[in-house]
Amino acid sequence: MAAARIIGDAILPVLQTQTDPQTLDESLKHYADLVGMRITVVDVTGFVIGDSEADASQMENHLNRPEIAQALAQGQATSIRTSETLGVAMMYLAIAIPSEKQPLGVMRVAFPLQKVEADIDRLQQTILIIMVLASILTIFLAAVLAEKTVRPLKDLTKAVDEISAGNISKGLTISYPTVNTHDEIGKLSRAFNRMAENLNTQINDLENERMKLSAVLQEMSDGVFIIDNQGKINLINLAAERMFSAPAANSLGMHFAEVVRQHQLIELWKHCKETGEAQGAAVEINDKQLSLFVTATPLGKTSPGRVLLLVQNLTRLHQTERTRRDFISNISHELRTPLASLKALTETLQEGALNDPPAAQRFLQRMEQEVDALSLMVSELLELSRIESGQVPFNYQATSPCTLITQAVERLRLQAERAGLTINIDCPPDLPPIHADFTRLEQVLVNLIHNAIKFTPEEGTITVRAQLDEINQKKAAVLFSVQDTGIGIPTGELLRIFERFYKTDRSRSGGGTGLGLAIARHIVEAHGGKIWAESEEGKGSTFYFNIPIAQ
């Protein structure tokens, strides 16, 4: 419509000057070529005065054309119909050509609908292409946006999986771009990071506390069990493993009764579980020679159904108490005998023996012997006390084992011969020197040889030997031994003969203080060695001790 008005305004001067038809047709053709439409000019009577494509003089009157009539009446009109001149469907736009009083005529532009449809098809194709491109762009932008949105969620999911798998350090942080965004995902990521860091800190703190508790449990001298409601062992420490010969690798998860196999402990646990009250009892395990005090405590609300068993090993305390009682008993016995003898001798002298010089002399000699025995006992007690307290200095030096044996044997050879015994020395001359205090080790050998002489019948044999220690391979040492063919020692008493004042029943008649072997044990142990005995009743005894070789 706008193009029609522009063309109308352009040809108005041509119509006003009543230009000849040929000039008008040329003008119309010119404008028709510019706009690509057919242009027709009709006067107010319907007579065609110009046409861009046909000869106007040959065209019929157009007053009956609907668009012409409407344009003359209303100033403009449109119409779609088949052209009577061209025979094709056309769209017509008509506008009245204005003048001062009345329109000069009507200018009509026409173009075939086929062209319009073609233009519409092209427009539709263009719109379709634009829509496809827009869709592709939209999908691309949506994918980018989705990736940007989903990536932090993937990071969160991965972090949660790592944490759930126990890899706290790997799941600790979300990627850098995510946490720096200011949207809800960024806030969630930062909150998750803080949560993961706090969780990691708490887990580290708990792990440190667990390690401390584990270290305390493993270093405790008391045994610890934690038993669940089904009787299965949830925890066992090192002390309990040793007491019951039950390694944790084999004991955890097993039933308590299968591990300890002690009915007293099992009953104690059951009673504690049933009553919900703490229980305690002294337990003796004879086959392991253990004296225990066991306390069973329910863990209550902190761990329902579980029981804590604390096993205190009182074996050493009982042994110490038994040694103390034996010490008091033995020293009382050892003191009572000479004191009773002294009292009897004194009373005899007071009752008149002083008037009999030969008898008085014998009594005085006996009194002197008893006083000497008491003095020896006191001296040995002081010596043992000083050695045990570490107050005796040891003069260590490289010492020849054969020289040590020879000198000790020579000191007692005369005594052995008087008892009708043969004493032999077996010492290879190529033995390496030992790291020892010569005087103290000689005291040990003299004590062992003296005991062998005392408890070996007449015509017996004593052999003093030194050799490389092949029993103990952990350190180079020389093994000393004193072997006799005497009365022997009962098997049950071999472990106690090195205790203070301990004497076997057969040795009580032989005199002595019962301190010699205790002193020998402390001297050997002070040298870093070990002393022990092997014996069979009626077939003799052999005492051994080893001393490290001088470096």
Side-chain angles (χ1 to χ4, degrees):
M1 187 65 73
R5 291 185 181 279
I6 292 172
I7 297 171
D9 291 340
I11 66 172
L12 180 60
V14 178
L15 294 176
Q16 290 176 341
T17 57
Q18 297 183 352
T19 308
D20 62 281
Q22 186 177 357
T23 301
L24 180 58
D25 289 343
E26 290 177 356
S27 296
L28 294 176
K29 287 181 180 180
H30 172 70
Y31 288 114
D33 292 338
L34 290 177
V35 298
M37 300 178 185
R38 180 183 178 184
I39 303 173
T40 304
V41 178
V42 180
D43 63 14
V44 293
T45 64
F47 180 75
V48 178
I49 59 176
D51 191 274
S52 62
E53 294 184 7
D55 184 2
S57 61
Q58 302 298 323
M59 297 175 67
E60 60 184 5
N61 191 290
H62 280 42
L63 188 60
N64 62 341
R65 301 296 194 270
E67 68 276 4
I68 298 299
Q70 188 177 355
L72 288 173
Q74 300 177 2
Q76 64 183 27
T78 60
S79 177
I80 297 175
R81 57 183 175 80
T82 302
S83 173
E84 296 180 4
T85 304
L86 300 177
V88 295
M90 301 289 286
M91 174 176 278
Y92 296 96
L93 300 174
I95 62 171
I97 300 173
S99 181
E100 294 180 0
K101 295 181 179 180
Q102 61 179 6
L104 293 178
V106 176
M107 188 196 70
R108 187 187 66 182
V109 295
F111 51 91
L113 285 178
Q114 185 178 4
K115 181 179 178 182
V116 174
E117 292 174 353
D119 290 340
I120 292 174
D121 289 342
R122 285 194 297 272
L123 180 60
Q124 288 177 341
Q125 291 177 358
T126 302
I127 293 173
L128 181 61
I129 292 172
I130 291 173
M131 290 179 64
V132 171
L133 293 176
S135 299
I136 294 174
L137 181 61
T138 301
I139 293 172
F140 174 74
L141 292 176
V144 172
L145 183 61
E147 175 62 22
K148 185 177 180 181
T149 304
V150 171
R151 185 177 67 247
L153 296 178
K154 290 181 178 179
D155 291 343
L156 281 170
T157 303
K158 182 179 179 181
V160 171
D161 289 341
E162 291 289 352
I163 291 177
S164 64
N167 301 323
I168 302 298
S169 59
K170 290 184 179 180
L172 185 57
T173 56
I174 310 302
S175 59
Y176 177 77
T178 302
V179 297
N180 279 335
T181 59
H182 298 286
D183 56 8
E184 297 302 321
I185 296 295
K187 293 178 181 178
L188 177 61
S189 299
R190 289 189 290 274
F192 182 86
N193 279 348
R194 289 193 297 270
M195 181 203 71
E197 289 173 357
N198 292 336
L199 181 61
N200 188 56
T201 300
Q202 292 176 4
I203 289 177
N204 288 337
D205 292 342
L206 289 174
E207 180 64 18
N208 290 335
E209 292 300 322
R210 188 194 67 80
M211 292 177 64
K212 291 178 183 177
L213 178 60
S214 177
V216 170
L217 285 174
Q218 294 306 318
E219 294 301 324
M220 285 179 63
S221 59
D222 296 336
V224 175
F225 290 95
I226 292 182
I227 308 166
D228 65 15
N229 194 40
Q230 304 299 321
K232 294 182 179 179
I233 296 175
N234 294 160
L235 183 144
I236 178 173
N237 72 341
L238 187 59
E241 293 179 36
R242 291 171 177 169
M243 288 181 196
F244 299 96
S245 302
N250 300 330
S251 302
L252 292 177
M254 291 184 62
H255 198 278
F256 180 61
E258 295 177 336
V259 175
V260 299
R261 298 182 182 278
Q262 297 293 327
H263 71 92
Q264 292 174 288
L265 295 179
I266 298 168
E267 291 300 322
L268 189 69
W269 160 66
K270 287 183 178 179
H271 195 201
C272 176
K273 185 182 71 169
E274 292 169 358
T275 62
E277 298 178 354
Q279 307 290 325
V283 178
E284 296 288 336
I285 302 179
N286 296 326
D287 58 340
K288 295 181 180 292
Q289 296 183 345
L290 291 176
S291 297
L292 309 175
F293 188 84
V294 185
T295 303
T297 305
L299 296 182
K301 295 181 180 180
T302 58
S303 190
R306 287 182 169 84
V307 174
L308 170 67
L309 242 65
L310 181 65
V311 184
Q312 295 176 283
N313 191 348
L314 305 180
T315 305
R316 182 172 296 180
L317 181 63
H318 287 186
Q319 289 177 344
T320 302
E321 178 63 20
R322 183 179 62 187
T323 301
R324 185 189 67 82
R325 291 196 303 267
D326 290 346
F327 173 78
I328 293 174
S329 174
N330 289 331
I331 197 171
S332 299
H333 175 83
E334 297 296 335
L335 289 174
R336 186 186 304 113
T337 301
L339 289 175
S341 179
L342 285 172
K343 182 175 179 59
L345 292 170
T346 303
E347 289 176 349
T348 303
L349 288 173
Q350 288 176 343
E351 290 174 355
L354 286 174
N355 298 324
D356 184 356
Q361 186 63 33
R362 289 196 307 272
F363 289 157
L364 289 174
Q365 288 177 351
R366 288 285 307 278
M367 292 175 67
E368 183 179 11
Q369 291 175 357
E370 297 298 342
V371 171
D372 288 342
L374 287 172
S375 298
L376 177 62
M377 183 185 302
V378 172
S379 177
E380 287 187 341
L381 275 173
L382 289 174
E383 177 77 357
L384 180 60
S385 177
R386 291 174 61 201
I387 292 174
E388 288 179 342
S389 62
Q391 296 179 357
V392 176
F394 284 82
N395 182 23
Y396 294 103
Q397 58 185 350
T399 301
S400 168
C402 294
T403 302
L404 183 65
I405 289 177
T406 301
Q407 188 161 320
V409 168
E410 290 304 320
R411 286 182 59 181
L412 296 172
R413 186 177 293 277
L414 182 59
Q415 183 177 345
E417 290 175 352
R418 287 176 178 172
L421 304 175
T422 301
I423 186 166
N424 300 318
I425 296 176
D426 180 7
C427 183
D430 58 347
L431 283 177
I434 56 175
H435 182 65
D437 182 318
F438 187 95
T439 302
R440 294 293 177 183
L441 277 191
E442 183 186 17
Q443 181 181 357
V444 172
L445 282 170
V446 167
N447 185 294
L448 296 179
I449 296 170
H450 183 268
N451 283 346
I453 293 173
K454 185 165 54 175
F455 301 115
T456 301
E458 189 176 356
E459 297 183 359
T461 302
I462 299 172
T463 303
V464 184
R465 183 178 290 109
Q467 63 191 51
L468 284 176
D469 187 0
E470 297 180 354
I471 299 175
N472 185 1
Q473 300 293 337
K474 294 183 179 180
K475 60 182 179 180
V478 172
L479 180 66
F480 294 86
S481 63
V482 177
Q483 183 179 11
D484 62 54
T485 57
I487 60 177
I489 304 170
T491 303
E493 298 181 358
L494 279 176
L495 296 177
R496 301 196 62 192
I497 59 176
F498 294 100
E499 296 176 8
R500 291 176 294 182
F501 289 108
Y502 187 82
K503 293 183 179 182
T504 64
D505 291 337
R506 293 191 179 186
S507 66
R508 286 205 179 274
S509 60
T513 63
L515 296 174
L517 290 180
I519 293 174
R521 177 172 65 87
H522 283 286
I523 292 175
V524 170
E525 290 177 352
H527 281 76
K530 179 183 177 183
I531 187 169
W532 70 98
E534 295 176 358
S535 181
E536 185 176 351
E537 286 190 87
K539 295 184 178 181
S541 305
T542 305
F543 284 79
Y544 298 93
F545 67 91
N546 55 14
I547 302 296
I549 291 174
Q551 300 297 323

